[in-house]
Amino acid sequence: MDEGLIKPQRVRTIVKIQQPSSPGEADVSAQGNFVEVADPRALRPKQFKADFVYRATSSPEDLILCELPPLLECVLSGTDGILLVSGPSGGEQASLLYSP
């Protein structure tokens, strides 16, 4: 493949906060674009920087309407795109993928 055709793209990190559903689960909070995961089993919280943070009150439709169009634009222009959805069982992953 011609190296001139490969254009490096920055990976965007988008986080949706969900409140813990049971005691003993990690507590996730955000201040601005910094996400903190306070796991009761860990010695100290871990911090991550995200490009954008959706709060627990954001609907799956909010995330899809804002994040899917740029992803589809990349794919249609010939580059790769991926939507990685992760979280605890019983989370909103299925509703995100199957929302209207």
Side-chain angles (χ1 to χ4, degrees):
M1 179 178 271
D2 185 8
E3 294 295 321
L5 296 176
I6 300 174
K7 297 176 184 172
Q9 299 288 323
R10 192 173 86 63
V11 174
R12 291 184 63 218
T13 306
I14 309 299
V15 176
K16 182 173 185 303
I17 302 291
Q18 182 175 338
Q19 299 301 324
S21 59
S22 65
E25 282 189 10
D27 183 28
V28 181
S29 60
Q31 184 172 6
N33 288 0
F34 287 96
V35 178
E36 183 175 278
V37 179
D39 189 343
R41 298 167 291 199
L43 293 175
R44 64 188 127 156
K46 293 183 180 178
Q47 293 184 341
F48 304 93
K49 185 172 189 246
D51 293 309
F52 193 82
V53 178
Y54 288 91
R55 305 295 174 188
T57 56
S58 299
S59 71
E61 290 83 12
D62 293 337
L63 196 140
I64 288 296
L65 289 173
C66 292
E67 302 306 327
L68 200 56
L71 181 67
L72 289 175
E73 187 177 315
C74 288
V75 171
L76 294 174
S77 69
T79 60
D80 293 332
I82 185 169
L83 175 64
L84 177 63
V85 181
S86 157
S89 66
E92 296 182 350
Q93 300 90 330
S95 64
L96 176 67
L97 295 175
Y98 297 116
S99 36

